[in-house]
Amino acid sequence: QVQLVESGGGLVQAGGSLRLSCAASGGIGRCNVMGWYRQSPGKQRELVATITSGGSTTKGDFVKGRFTISRDSAKNTVYLQMNSLKPEDTAVYYCNAECGGWYQYNYWGQGTQVTVSS
């Protein structure tokens, strides 16, 4: 069963923009925390941004105001608006979510490739 569905990745020129989306299936339960991590070859997976059901966010230092995270809790969907993209942003972006009832389970998407050309 597909539990997190990602979309929006692709190829963009430096300075351009992309919007990523990630939707949790209905059977996964309510997601208290949703967000994105990214990973490039030879590097550890790193935090991009997360957002809670209450709207509290955390961000990686590299974001520097260029990325905006938002969510539609009614649809268990999270978005990442990426502006002023740099070649260093090239990575596989993974959706992550903590969802369930009393106990929150951790889920990962399959990842979507973002490539920024110079």
Side-chain angles (χ1 to χ4, degrees):
Q1 178 182 323
V2 177
Q3 297 172 120
L4 298 178
V5 180
E6 301 159 317
S7 63
L11 175 65
V12 66
Q13 295 184 40
S17 299
L18 287 173
R19 183 188 295 272
L20 306 183
S21 65
C22 172
S25 64
I28 204 172
R30 183 174 299 277
C31 300
N32 185 52
V33 184
M34 302 186 76
W36 275 276
Y37 294 72
R38 71 183 188 184
Q39 187 168 25
S40 300
K43 295 185 177 181
Q44 295 290 317
R45 190 170 298 186
E46 64 180 347
L47 168 72
V48 178
T50 66
I51 185 169
T52 70
S53 59
S56 179
T57 63
T58 184
K59 298 177 292 183
D61 291 338
F62 62 86
V63 171
K64 298 179 180 179
R66 299 181 298 122
F67 298 175
T68 301
I69 189 168
S70 61
R71 66 182 290 165
D72 182 343
S73 293
K75 297 182 177 181
N76 268 352
T77 301
V78 65
Y79 306 92
L80 183 69
Q81 178 67 46
M82 303 188 292
N83 299 322
S84 301
L85 284 162
K86 306 174 181 178
E88 309 93 89
D89 296 318
T90 296
V92 178
Y93 285 69
Y94 295 91
C95 182
N96 177 255
E98 297 178 4
C99 316
W102 176 79
Y103 185 81
Q104 296 280 293
Y105 293 90
N106 189 258
Y107 299 90
W108 288 95
Q110 296 187 77
T112 184
Q113 177 70 46
V114 171
T115 302
V116 184
S117 62
S118 60

